[in-house]
Amino acid sequence: GAFKLGLEYFSANGPQGIKLISDTGVKIFLDLKFHDIPNTVAGAIKAILDLQPYMFTVHLSGGYNMLHKANEVVKEYCEINSLKKPIILGVSVLTSIDNNDFLSLGIKGKVEDQVIRLAKLAKDAGLDGLVSSAKELQIIRKEIGQDLILVTPGIRPLGGEINDQKRIVTPSQAINNGANYLVIGRPITASNDPRKSLDDLSKEI
């Protein structure tokens, strides 16, 4: 597994904050969801590669050119600097978004239709994996097969708080649906007894 550090942590602590944790020897999942024009994303990715993240994220809605550029710059930079290539994950549809949100965004169709389109885009652009709700895992596996690593956020234990997530599942459901990695945040970090919460999650898994 790895420790996921996202925008909130990065904004407060910057690259040095990432390095402090990385220097302890743990793996880092750097969840910054890069999304901009191809050259800007490429420059931003170069700036974080020396931190040697285990995984990092880009938004699939940035389009093929952005994703392809991201993949190429990672391979080139890591080869030149003798770094281990991180896993590049494409973020499909945020787990806080549902079909009603799609209507307000002017997107036709259902969330799962968009997730499949973006999963195919991730594969075409050469990315390693995909971040998506476990509710779409089975259809992704059916349409894409085993080619992509699937990382699943929106994990909540039985009886847990939903918070701002809309498309959530339990850990065991996610694994049964084909997830390779689970992202589990607030059920542990917001707990009065994080160790017990982690133990309870492990027992369910």
Side-chain angles (χ1 to χ4, degrees), residues 68-87:
H68 182 70
K69 180 88 171 179
N71 192 36
E72 290 300 306
V73 78
V74 168
K75 288 193 290 187
E76 180 181 323
Y77 191 88
C78 289
E79 185 175 336
I80 291 172
N81 294 280
S82 300
L83 297 172
K84 185 176 180 181
K85 180 184 174 294
I87 294 169

Side-chain angles (χ1 to χ4, degrees), residues 11 22 27 40 42 55 59 66 85 90 152 190:
S11 295
S22 182
K27 294 177 181 176
T40 300
M55 300 171 160
H59 258 300
M66 187 202 85
K85 180 184 174 294
T152 303

Side-chain angles (χ1 to χ4, degrees), residues 58 60 63-64 67-68 71-72 75 88-92 114-131 140-150:
V58 295
L60 292 172
Y64 177 84
L67 301 172
H68 182 70
N71 192 36
E72 290 300 306
K75 288 193 290 187
I88 309 174
L89 300 170
V91 176
S92 57
Q114 180 71 354
V115 169
I116 292 303
R117 281 193 289 269
L118 292 173
K120 291 177 178 177
L121 180 61
K123 182 179 177 181
D124 290 344
L127 271 57
D128 301 298
L130 186 73
V131 181
I140 291 171
R141 286 293 185 215
K142 180 181 177 182
E143 295 288 334
I144 307 296
Q146 302 298 316
D147 292 339
L148 294 175
I149 294 167
L150 298 183

